[in-house]
Amino acid sequence: AHAQMWRVDPSGRLVSRLTDALFVAVRGKGPQVVLQPAADGRQSQMWSLRPAGGRCFLVASAQDGLVLEASGAEVSRELGLLARWAAEPGLVTLRHAVVGAAGPSGPIVIVDRHGKPLGVESGLEADVRREDSVLRDIADAKILPLSSVEAAKQLLPVALLLRRMHAEGYSHNGLHSGLLVRRTADVASPFCVAGLASANDAGALEPELGEGCDAAWCVTRDWRAFALSLASLMDGRAR
């Protein structure tokens, strides 16, 4: 089930199939998303924008539906990787992609539905207090931190995804607690990775970051981010 069903109207807008009052307008060359009510002023949803790594944004609705929006070659690569590892429980499910009037190089929207993120991209305690997440629920004493066994069990699908990515010569390159989301709203639900915008061949960052940032460095960086998230799930501290 989806929180929303979408269609592309004749002017190239992405419009909700449930109500014409809701549509997504992409402005400019970058991944700027503008959510607006229709002309009659009706608003059937409450929305917030959340950075999701790279040049992507998560648009979160009150019904827990998420829209991942971006454009260009980076998204084409991400779609390919989402399809390549679609059978992995540790990766968010690709529901469908919509190409707007601009063609394959234009806006591509991926719609999905899942639970809360573990933390936030910045890893700062102050940001955790402002954004809905598992770590905020722990800080508010709504839930308890997990034991090492429980935390490992809930993050096992993510570890298996990373192992496969690395075995096939890729690295995530942008993993953080804000990208780890529960598969469902259940507090016992395992986590999965919400996006692959930064994923690339392991070692692809070396020309940009300098000598030493090779494939082994990228793989180690992924596992360090995973370990930090595992520790946060056990003690409730943002990292």
Side-chain angles (χ1 to χ4, degrees), residues 13-44:
R13 298 186 312 171
L14 187 67
V15 181
S16 168
R17 289 185 181 275
L18 304 181
T19 170
D20 289 337
L22 178 66
F23 62 89
V24 179
V26 181
R27 295 178 175 174
K29 296 181 179 180
Q32 180 184 7
V33 183
V34 181
L35 297 163
Q36 304 171 344
D40 61 9
R42 290 183 294 115
Q43 184 83 43
S44 63

Side-chain angles (χ1 to χ4, degrees), residues 93-197:
T93 303
L94 173 62
R95 298 296 185 185
H96 56 269
V98 179
V99 181
S105 62
I108 300 177
V109 179
I110 307 164
V111 179
D112 193 24
R113 181 185 179 94
H114 50 65
K116 292 182 180 181
L118 171 57
V120 295
E121 180 177 7
S122 68
L124 299 177
E125 198 74 46
D127 290 338
V128 168
R129 300 299 303 177
R130 286 195 295 267
E131 299 185 29
D132 194 21
S133 67
V134 174
L135 291 184
R136 180 176 175 180
D137 286 349
I138 293 175
D140 292 342
K142 294 180 180 178
I143 60 174
L144 295 173
L146 300 185
S147 68
S148 58
V149 173
E150 292 171 329
K153 182 178 180 180
Q154 291 193 11
L155 285 174
L156 178 60
V158 176
L160 295 177
L161 171 66
L162 290 178
R163 183 177 70 173
R164 180 174 176 185
M165 290 177 66
H166 298 157
E168 295 181 10
Y170 291 86
S171 55
H172 189 284
N173 302 319
L175 195 65
H176 55 79
S177 63
L179 270 183
L180 300 181
V181 296
R182 290 199 187 280
R183 175 64 70 177
T184 70
D186 193 318
V187 295
S189 173
F191 286 87
C192 61
V193 178
L196 298 172

Side-chain angles (χ1 to χ4, degrees), residues 181-236:
V181 296
R182 290 199 187 280
R183 175 64 70 177
T184 70
D186 193 318
V187 295
S189 173
F191 286 87
C192 61
V193 178
L196 298 172
S198 301
N200 210 328
D201 296 339
L205 295 178
E206 190 168 18
E208 177 184 348
L209 300 181
E211 186 177 355
C213 299
D214 55 8
W217 180 86
C218 289
V219 168
T220 300
R221 185 185 187 211
D222 281 355
W223 285 119
R224 179 180 182 275
F226 175 85
L228 292 175
S229 294
L230 179 64
S232 293
L233 197 52
M234 290 189 291
D235 64 13

Side-chain angles (χ1 to χ4, degrees), residues 31 33 35 47-53 55-61 65-70 78 92 110 112 114-115 117 176 178-181 194-195:
V33 183
L35 297 163
W47 299 91
S48 64
L49 278 176
R50 183 185 306 150
R55 296 188 304 158
C56 296
F57 293 85
L58 289 176
V59 185
S61 82
L66 292 177
V67 178
L68 175 63
E69 189 283 331
E78 183 179 17
V92 68
I110 307 164
D112 193 24
H114 50 65
H176 55 79
L179 270 183
L180 300 181
V181 296

